[in-house]
Amino acid sequence: MVSDQPSILPSAEPAPPPRAPGRPRTFACPNCGGAVTLRAAGQSITATCSQCSSVIDVADENLRIIEAAQSAMQQSDIPIGARARLKDIEWEVVGYMRRSDGPGDFRWTEHLLFNPYHGYRFLAEEYDHWTLVKMLNRDVPGAGGEGWIDANGRSYQFFGKGFARTTYVAGEFFWRASTSDVTAVTDYIAPPYRLMVERNDEEIIVSEGEYLDARLVAAAFKLPLRVPSSSSAGVSQVNPYKPSCDLGKRAGQFTNLQSDRRRQEQYPVVRNVPAEQERQYRDRDHLLPQQ
């Protein structure tokens, strides 16, 4: 792992407020004539054609093409139109994008979820680890710095900085999504939660994510999704192998001091730890600044 892993937050304008559900809208792609269906009609700004992969400005009455046909259609593990109940809300996938760090060494996929009464969420997948993300509609003091910051009653430890670029988009989005998007990102963690700050020349967006077990996501979508290997540790995955007596000694132990008791009850001391998986957590811990 590298210390400048980018955030999984997409380059986007603040999510629009929920509206009463509208009927899906279908129109012909101005590039190839293929049918394009809007699932969040009235809120989406851009959409991609499933036939030629052109990115279309659906907020423009002339359906202007923002980006000519991309590379061949890239399928996602969770297809557009798939539905699942996560955190007691029914969501539908309306779009997804591929993103990577600057050099392209670290890659991930972000799925845009929509519910007409609850708005948008992002479901991000990083090497079979999943995070459900919600944009925060308020300022967070200290966001973007390299120290501790507080948000939603949690204290977050700085994790790393980097850049994120969008390499592919499919479906519809509430901002003008493009493969030319590049943003600076900063990550903070308080497992299983993760705070993400993304900025460009025009704005700063802060989002909060919660780690989800891959088996829960697979069951919710009724899809045979992969689960992380035993040697893989997610960025905001709780470390179940850290002995409870060591909790709170340093930020690298991924423990929020205010929730030590709850974590110890949920993850008691584990003996006979698989060596490779414990090493992954230890390597992740070393990415954090020492106290």
Side-chain angles (χ1 to χ4, degrees):
M1 298 179 66
V2 294
S3 61
D4 61 346
Q5 283 183 359
S7 164
I8 56 178
L9 176 64
S11 173
E13 298 175 358
R19 300 179 182 174
R23 294 182 178 180
R25 171 192 169 197
T26 300
F27 62 90
C29 171
N31 183 56
C32 72
V36 179
T37 300
L38 291 182
R39 302 173 186 277
Q43 299 204 50
S44 295
I45 300 296
T46 60
T48 58
C49 174
S50 61
Q51 303 297 317
C52 70
S53 295
S54 293
V55 182
I56 306 163
D57 185 348
V58 296
D60 185 327
E61 61 180 10
N62 296 316
L63 299 176
R64 179 176 63 89
I65 293 180
I66 296 177
E67 193 169 326
Q70 306 173 83
S71 57
M73 188 72 177
Q74 299 179 21
Q75 299 298 327
S76 171
D77 289 338
I78 303 178
I80 293 173
R83 296 187 177 188
R85 191 171 186 83
L86 298 171
K87 297 297 178 180
D88 297 321
I89 297 175
E90 188 77 16
W91 298 103
E92 180 176 10
V93 177
V94 297
Y96 60 89
M97 61 175 61
R98 309 287 191 199
R99 305 192 81 196
S100 74
D101 62 355
D105 298 328
F106 187 80
R107 304 171 185 270
W108 67 99
T109 301
E110 297 171 0
H111 305 79
L112 181 60
L113 310 182
F114 176 70
N115 177 289
Y117 299 103
H118 296 275
Y120 293 93
R121 299 291 188 277
F122 296 93
L123 182 63
E125 179 270 326
E126 302 168 291
Y127 300 95
D128 303 326
H129 292 278
W130 296 84
T131 307
L132 184 64
V133 182
K134 179 181 180 180
M135 286 186 173
L136 301 181
N137 295 321
R138 60 182 179 279
D139 293 333
V140 176
E146 298 187 6
W148 289 80
I149 60 175
D150 296 324
N152 281 354
R154 285 180 277 274
S155 293
Y156 284 91
Q157 167 66 35
F158 169 76
F159 183 74
K161 285 188 174 184
F163 290 88
R165 61 187 182 92
T166 301
T167 59
Y168 181 82
V169 295
E172 56 192 273
F173 304 89
F174 58 84
W175 72 97
R176 287 181 171 80
S178 169
T179 55
S180 63
D181 291 339
V182 179
T183 54
V185 293
T186 307
D187 272 335
Y188 306 83
I189 56 172
Y193 299 98
R194 181 175 178 178
L195 200 71
M196 295 149 281
V197 180
E198 185 153 355
R199 70 174 68 211
N200 55 27
D201 293 337
E202 301 177 352
E203 61 188 353
I204 299 175
I205 297 175
V206 182
S207 282
E208 186 173 52
E210 181 177 1
Y211 185 88
L212 297 182
D213 189 293
R215 291 164 295 186
L216 181 153
V217 177
F221 281 99
K222 297 181 175 60
L223 291 171
L225 302 177
R226 297 180 300 275
V227 297
S229 68
S230 60
S231 62
S232 174
V235 171
S236 59
Q237 184 179 13
V238 172
N239 182 353
Y241 302 123
K242 189 67 64 175
S244 59
C245 60
D246 291 340
L247 294 176
K249 283 189 177 179
R250 66 183 182 88
Q253 293 175 331
F254 285 73
T255 301
N256 181 345
L257 296 178
Q258 298 176 343
S259 58
D260 280 353
R261 179 173 299 176
R262 177 181 65 80
R263 295 187 189 283
Q264 291 179 35
E265 292 173 351
Q266 184 177 2
Y267 296 103
V269 176
V270 177
R271 307 299 181 187
N272 301 320
V273 177
E276 177 61 20
Q277 187 166 12
E278 184 179 24
R279 184 188 66 78
Q280 287 288 323
Y281 282 101
R282 186 173 63 252
D283 290 347
R284 183 188 65 177
D285 289 352
H286 290 166
L287 297 180
L288 290 175
Q290 300 293 307
Q291 284 188 321

